[in-house]
């Protein structure tokens, strides 16, 4: 070569690309310019920074994967379709009075009255057996709110109900012959009522509705109670409702417990298209499909309590007043597609690497500026740094 590069062992390609050819011209559009290895230098600081960035990328990527795997919940409110007629009420309650001294009745806004005492089971039992049961707690104890909150999520509901469709109440334990045996009464079972506003109440014999027979002595009144189950719709004993496994006690004979319940029909599903809940031909609700493990149709309710002692002119007892909301709540668990996950992971990794590279370069520039400032203060910069320093003796 005329320029003598070859004589000195130099390569002309190191100083520029030769023109000509499509492959050579397309390099003009290269958005990822390369640096030859001879012009790069590896440092231990860069190695530590790379390891940190890899760890952060793996951590954030695993978090994205877990978030995608768990999915997310959406809540959709809509007007309940169809014309409903009846609703199942499930009750399991223990009262420290003899069974023959208690009356249970249901009355709704339509004027229908149901003698629930004839439809529900009454078993003599011991109060101590139920109040000391695992999980039984006083009403409104804050530490059980978290457990109740879990039963509002689709994954937990389907896990509790989907694989075990037990729809029976537990048997009443054997009471034995000890003192105090049979002095409490367990009232449990399911009954059908009109799906309208109403109330059901537990009162003492001879008090409440006009009834024939002897009135119970006031000293026998004790409306302390343990609610093992109170739900609406199909019976799912494994699901925890606001009043389930709660108890309250009182020493007053004349005491009125009042609960106000707002019932909301609810569907829990992870299916993109849950089964229909009503018959479009007859415009009536359809019974829940027990074979579908991806959908549970039930009812939630919110409860408030207003309880206080009353005088002898007021009827004592336990009163549940419920109202049916005209809306349907659908809680759906959704999971995005796998491509969505890949896009999220790529964004996370690229963001970490680009952001980490910028921080590393800024840190390098900061160290360089600090080092340059120290050299200037030490008077150690000269011709190689573009500045010439003259001694006073050199000036003429």
């Amino acid at each position: 070569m005329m320029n003598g590069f070859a004589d000195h062992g130099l390569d002309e390609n190191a100083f520029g690309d030769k023109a000509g050819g499509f492959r050579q011209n397309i390099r003009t559009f290269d958005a990822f310019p390369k640096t030859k290895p001879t012009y790069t230098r590896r440092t231990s600081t860069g190695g530590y920074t790379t390891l940190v960035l890899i760890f952060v990328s793996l951590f954030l990527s695993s978090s994205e994967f877990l978030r995608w795997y768990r999915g997310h919940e959406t809540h959709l409110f809509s007007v309940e379709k169809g014309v409903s007629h009846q609703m199942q009420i499930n009750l399991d309650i223990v009262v420290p009075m003899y069974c023959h001294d208690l009356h249970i009745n249901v009355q709704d806004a339509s004027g229908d009255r149901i003698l629930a005492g004839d439809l529900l089971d009454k078993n003599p039992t011991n109060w101590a057996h139920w109040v000391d049961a695992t999980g039984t707690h006083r009403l409104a104890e804050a530490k059980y709110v978290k457990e109740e909150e879990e039963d509002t999520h689709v994954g937990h509901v389907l896990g509790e109900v989907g694989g075990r469709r037990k729809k029976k109440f537990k048997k009443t334990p054997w009471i034995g012959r000890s003192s105090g045996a049979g002095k409490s009464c367990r009232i449990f079972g399911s009954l059908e009522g009109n799906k309208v506003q109403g109330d059901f109440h537990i009162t003492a014999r001879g008090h409440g509705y006009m009834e024939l027979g002897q009135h119970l002595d006031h000293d026998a009144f004790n409306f302390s109670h343990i609610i093992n189950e109170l739900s609406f719709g199909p019976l799912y004993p494994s699901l925890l409702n606001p009043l389930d496994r709660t108890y309250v006690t009182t020493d007053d004979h004349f005491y009125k417990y009042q609960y106000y319940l707002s019932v909301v029909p609810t569907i829990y599903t992870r299916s993109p298209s849950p089964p229909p809940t009503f018959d479009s031909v007859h415009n009536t609700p359809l019974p829940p499909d027990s074979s579908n493990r991806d959908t549970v149709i039930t009812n939630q309710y919110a409860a408030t309590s207003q309880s206080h002692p009353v005088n002898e002119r007021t009827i004592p007892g336990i009163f549940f007043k419920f109202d049916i909301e005209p809306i349907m709540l659908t809680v759906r668990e959704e999971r995005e597609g796998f491509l969505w996950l890949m896009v999220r992971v790529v964004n996370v990794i690229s963001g970490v690497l680009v952001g980490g590279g910028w921080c590393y370069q800024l840190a390098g520039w900061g160290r360089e500026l600090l080092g340059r400032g120290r050299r200037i203060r030490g008077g150690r910069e000269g011709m190689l740094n573009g500045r010439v320093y003259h001694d006073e003796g050199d000036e003429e």
Side-chain angles (χ1 to χ4, degrees):
M1 295 184 180
M2 297 181 63
N3 53 15
F5 281 179
D7 298 337
H8 296 279
L10 301 177
D11 185 6
E12 185 177 353
N13 292 330
F15 297 90
D17 295 330
K18 294 182 178 180
F22 176 77
R23 295 184 60 185
Q24 296 293 335
N25 294 332
I26 200 66
R27 294 181 181 180
T28 306
F29 303 99
D30 187 3
F32 309 98
K34 314 300 185 297
T35 302
K36 291 184 177 296
T38 54
Y39 301 121
T40 60
R41 181 168 60 93
R42 300 180 184 273
T43 62
S44 59
T45 304
Y48 287 127
T49 304
T50 303
L51 291 178
V52 171
L53 294 180
I54 292 175
F55 175 78
V56 173
S57 299
L58 291 176
F59 176 76
L60 295 179
S61 299
S62 60
S63 299
E64 287 292 333
F65 176 79
L66 292 177
R67 180 184 176 186
W68 169 82
Y69 182 78
R70 288 193 297 263
H72 63 278
E73 291 184 352
T74 59
H75 296 72
L76 175 64
F77 290 92
S78 61
V79 177
E80 188 177 13
K81 299 179 180 179
V83 179
S84 302
H85 297 283
Q86 291 186 324
M87 179 180 63
Q88 180 174 311
I89 302 175
N90 310 299
L91 178 65
D92 186 353
I93 188 171
V94 178
V95 181
M97 294 175 62
Y98 289 107
C99 289
H100 62 270
D101 291 337
L102 294 173
H103 282 183
I104 308 100
N105 295 281
V106 178
Q107 186 172 11
D108 56 45
S110 65
D112 287 350
R113 177 188 173 193
I114 301 174
L115 298 178
D118 299 334
L119 301 176
L120 301 176
D121 294 325
K122 295 181 180 180
N123 291 159
T125 186
N126 291 331
W127 173 266
H129 175 84
W130 299 94
V131 77
D132 295 334
T134 303
T136 303
H137 58 279
R138 287 191 174 274
L139 184 64
E141 276 194 49
K143 64 179 180 179
Y144 290 93
V145 174
K146 182 179 180 180
E147 184 178 356
E148 180 185 330
E149 177 68 20
E150 291 180 352
D151 279 344
T152 62
H153 298 293
V154 176
H156 185 79
V157 171
L158 296 181
E160 290 290 328
V161 177
R164 304 188 301 273
R165 299 274 177 170
K166 295 182 180 179
K167 298 184 178 181
K168 295 182 179 180
F169 291 95
K170 295 181 179 180
K171 294 183 179 180
T172 303
W174 182 64
I175 59 176
R177 298 181 179 179
S178 60
S179 60
K183 291 185 178 180
S184 297
C185 182
R186 181 196 180 197
I187 306 167
F188 65 99
S190 300
L191 54 90
E192 295 288 339
N194 296 323
K195 195 173 182 180
V196 295
Q197 180 182 6
D199 65 272
F200 61 92
H201 41 264
I202 302 173
T203 56
R205 172 169 50 88
H207 297 75
Y209 290 103
M210 296 300 297
E211 299 171 346
L212 298 177
Q214 183 181 4
H215 283 214
L216 182 65
D217 184 79
H218 294 174
D219 292 336
F221 290 177
N222 187 353
F223 289 102
S224 303
H225 56 276
I226 304 169
I227 302 176
N228 299 311
E229 173 78 25
L230 177 59
S231 60
F232 298 86
L235 175 62
Y236 299 122
S238 57
L239 295 184
L240 187 64
N241 297 285
L243 295 180
D244 290 356
R245 290 189 283 176
T246 62
Y247 74 92
V248 289
T249 58
T250 180
D251 296 328
D252 296 323
H253 296 298
F254 277 81
Y255 204 92
K256 188 175 184 178
Y257 291 98
Q258 296 183 99
Y259 299 97
Y260 298 89
L261 315 177
S262 297
V263 183
V264 180
T266 306
I267 299 177
Y268 295 98
T269 182
R270 60 164 56 106
S271 174
S273 56
T277 58
F278 76 103
D279 186 353
S280 58
V281 177
H282 301 90
N283 201 28
T284 56
L286 293 174
D289 184 7
S290 59
S291 62
N292 190 343
R293 297 191 175 185
D294 290 332
T295 302
V296 171
I297 302 176
T298 181
N299 294 275
Q300 296 186 92
Y301 65 84
T304 57
S305 175
Q306 295 292 333
S307 304
H308 52 82
V310 295
N311 55 44
E312 295 186 2
R313 295 182 180 181
T314 305
I315 300 173
I318 307 170
F319 299 84
F320 299 90
K321 299 180 181 295
F322 57 89
D323 192 10
I324 313 300
E325 301 296 337
I327 59 175
M328 170 75 73
L329 171 61
T330 301
V331 185
R332 179 181 286 110
E333 183 180 82
E334 297 178 343
R335 182 185 299 168
E336 304 293 345
F338 189 75
L339 179 61
W340 180 90
L341 173 64
M342 291 294 99
V343 172
R344 294 282 297 184
V345 171
V346 170
N347 288 339
V348 167
I349 295 177
S350 59
V352 170
L353 295 181
V354 172
W358 287 351
C359 293
Y360 181 75
Q361 290 183 0
L362 290 176
W365 292 340
R367 290 194 302 269
E368 182 179 352
L369 291 175
L370 290 176
R372 182 177 299 178
R374 292 172 181 173
R375 290 194 298 270
I376 292 175
R377 289 193 298 270
R380 289 182 293 174
E381 290 206 6
M383 293 292 297
L384 293 179
N385 291 284
R387 296 184 178 88
V388 180
Y389 296 91
H390 300 281
D391 294 332
E392 294 180 356
D394 294 337
E395 296 182 354
E396 294 181 356

